[in-house]
Amino acid sequence: MASEGKEKVLAGFAESFGDTEGVRVFFAPGRVNLIGEHTDYNGGHVFPCALDIGCYAAVRKREDRTLRFASVNIPRAGITEVEIDDLDSARTGKWADYPKGVVWAFEGRGFKLDRGFDMAIYGDIPNGAGLSSSAALEVVTGYALRALYGFDQVTNQDLAFIGQYSENNYNGMNCGIMDQFASAMGKENNAIFLDTNTMVFEYAPVKLDGMKLVITNTNKKHSLVDSEYNARRAQCAQALKDMQARYDIKALGELSIEEFEEGKDLITDPVCRRRAKHAVYENQRTIQAVQALKDGDIEKFGKLMNQSHVSLRDDYETSCPEADILAEEAWKLPGVLGSRITGGGFGGCTVSIVKNEEVQEFIDRIGPVYREKVGYDASFYLLGIGNGPCEL
Ligand code: GLA
């Protein structure tokens, strides 16, 4: 997979910028979140893992202060060109704003580029699938900058924070830290149990003896993600403010279920109350799920995944009818231990744990039902849990 990605991005570089003399190639993965959804900006826990698909960058320094970007995936977008010193006012709302934002964020932290570069990008994460192609693009850009410009003091965790900072402040998407952290810190066959309140994390081996992770893409075209996402954040902030009248807390993730239930009437708006309920319960579910995985109790892990979906559907309202069909059909199958929508929501993918011998059955059963109810096909991916970024 990696060698194919490398070849494609090098070919793209040659096509856009002439030749590949002296070009270096880097990779950063996408991610899937197993449980702990919409908890990362509420000071809660998340449990994502890096995937073995992601974003490839072929990069070469230039002699002047120009940055040029080309995408193998979107050739019709052509080459985007910008001067390093003009980045602040060079937002266009197009794809190249992601790598541009990362350069801008490096510069803002005092990591100044002495010269510009040419960069070609190729991604094998399906577009709009909610598997963090943007975080992978941010992390691979940061990783390449560190390598090319000798910013050796920048750690992989810093790459995650810089990616999030640029997405928040250059791209206007108020995302939490989960996606960039999973991409920058990924470890093969492990998920990352991260407390976003303290940033303390541990790796937990994902041992699914006789089972597979199946990722199912709704293939829904969605556009409201950013505005709805930012609205959820505002609702949680309001709920936190209300709860602070009684509790000395900085984030909803600090509340136990008992504390939430005792204090919830302080949250006057019923919508904000439901959002907070999800944030508090989902955080506790995530802690329990990781314990279950450590205990080898995949059945319990799966049940918590199902509860997570119900909560995202009913209380947080970031699911969508398409993902509900996928999850609810999956729950009917005996070979499925758990299934839920993953990522920001309003489309994207579900993640399911399925017994090996039932995977084909899963695809054969759910595929046609989905097509009949939705009118177009879902896609099924069997992906591995991969490492963080690297040079190829
Ligand atoms: C998006 C954001 C993450 C996280 C998830 C929901 O992927 O980028 O920070 O909030 O949604 O869990």
Side-chain angles (χ1 to χ4, degrees):
M1 249 183 199
S3 59
E4 203 182 298
K6 184 176 177 180
E7 264 172 44
K8 284 204 170 144
V9 79
L10 279 172
F13 190 98
E15 202 165 298
S16 298
F17 305 120
D19 65 275
T20 56
E21 177 84 37
V23 172
R24 293 170 71 177
V25 178
F26 305 90
F27 170 80
R31 67 95 188 91
V32 65
N33 188 23
L34 300 180
I35 193 162
E37 215 66 81
H38 291 279
T39 47
D40 63 347
Y41 51 86
N42 284 309
H45 293 74
V46 292
F47 197 48
C49 43
L51 294 170
D52 55 6
I53 55 173
C55 185
Y56 298 81
V59 198
R60 179 173 64 196
K61 271 185 163 184
R62 297 169 55 88
E63 295 301 326
D64 55 15
R65 293 187 59 75
T66 303
L67 304 171
R68 294 196 297 174
F69 302 94
S71 162
V72 176
N73 301 77
I74 324 173
R76 67 175 183 285
I79 295 175
T80 302
E81 201 171 307
V82 63
E83 295 302 307
I84 297 176
D85 308 296
D86 295 343
L87 278 170
D88 200 29
S89 55
R91 294 167 177 84
T92 59
K94 305 237 168 74
W95 80 271
D97 278 3
Y98 287 96
K100 279 158 60 187
V102 173
V103 178
W104 172 85
F106 265 79
E107 288 262 319
R109 291 185 181 216
F111 296 109
K112 304 280 183 193
L113 277 62
D114 57 350
R115 297 187 269 148
F117 59 77
D118 289 335
M119 177 185 264
I121 290 291
Y122 166 70
D124 55 6
I125 304 173
N127 252 347
L131 301 176
S132 292
S133 54
S134 45
L137 176 50
E138 290 152 11
V139 170
V140 80
T141 303
Y143 195 90
L145 292 181
R146 178 173 72 191
L148 256 68
Y149 295 88
F151 301 141
D152 295 339
Q153 62 273 56
V154 176
T155 64
N156 276 22
Q157 280 201 52
D158 294 334
L159 294 180
F161 282 115
I162 292 171
Q164 183 202 18
Y165 180 85
S166 74
E167 187 154 340
N168 291 172
N169 297 290
Y170 201 82
N171 300 90
M173 163 66 174
N174 236 342
C175 63
I177 189 64
M178 171 171 73
D179 303 349
Q180 292 80 4
F181 197 89
S183 177
M185 302 295 289
K187 183 171 166 189
E188 197 173 11
N189 296 325
N190 281 259
I192 308 171
F193 183 41
L194 169 68
D195 179 348
T196 62
N197 208 13
T198 58
M199 293 311 287
V200 170
F201 72 98
E202 66 179 279
Y203 292 107
V206 181
K207 283 195 233 100
L208 298 176
D209 293 334
M211 289 164 251
K212 281 204 170 48
L213 282 183
V214 183
I215 297 174
T216 311
N217 193 345
T218 61
N219 288 322
K220 178 180 178 155
K221 301 272 168 277
H222 47 99
S223 57
L224 285 173
V225 189
D226 291 11
S227 58
E228 285 293 327
Y229 185 93
N230 291 346
R232 294 298 178 286
R233 283 200 73 146
Q235 289 157 345
C236 288
Q238 182 56 50
L240 171 65
K241 224 166 147 203
D242 291 344
M243 286 302 240
Q244 282 168 333
R246 176 171 312 170
Y247 298 110
D248 179 21
I249 51 167
K250 291 200 178 57
L252 290 172
E254 290 173 43
L255 290 174
S256 66
I257 285 174
E258 293 70 32
E259 285 167 332
F260 172 77
E261 289 298 336
E262 270 168 34
K264 67 182 180 195
D265 292 337
L266 291 167
I267 307 172
T268 44
D269 179 66
V271 174
C272 294
R273 202 181 307 133
R274 279 192 283 124
R275 306 298 191 240
K277 179 181 171 203
H278 168 79
V280 172
Y281 277 73
E282 179 77 356
N283 183 38
Q284 297 303 325
R285 265 193 293 274
T286 307
I287 297 168
Q288 287 175 29
V290 175
Q291 191 54 51
L293 186 70
K294 285 182 182 165
D295 297 343
D297 190 349
I298 307 291
E299 261 185 43
K300 181 165 180 195
F301 190 92
K303 286 198 179 112
L304 291 162
M305 286 174 76
N306 297 348
Q307 289 170 18
S308 167
H309 184 89
V310 170
S311 179
L312 289 160
R313 185 190 65 193
D314 299 345
D315 287 331
Y316 217 67
E317 295 178 281
T318 52
S319 187
C320 58
E322 295 81 358
D324 291 342
I325 290 169
L326 290 178
E328 286 158 19
E329 289 302 317
W331 298 340
K332 292 180 190 162
L333 302 177
V336 174
L337 286 101
S339 185
R340 60 182 284 279
I341 186 169
T342 182
F346 309 104
C349 292
T350 60
V351 57
S352 312
I353 299 180
V354 187
K355 289 187 183 146
N356 280 345
E357 63 278 13
E358 306 281 345
V359 170
Q360 198 53 49
E361 173 87 357
F362 179 92
I363 298 170
D364 292 345
R365 287 279 193 107
I366 296 176
V369 175
Y370 186 82
R371 173 163 254 297
E372 198 199 309
K373 291 194 174 170
V374 176
Y376 52 82
D377 285 328
S379 312
F380 298 86
Y381 316 124
L382 297 171
L383 299 170
I385 301 180
N387 279 316
C390 61
E391 179 162 7
L392 294 168

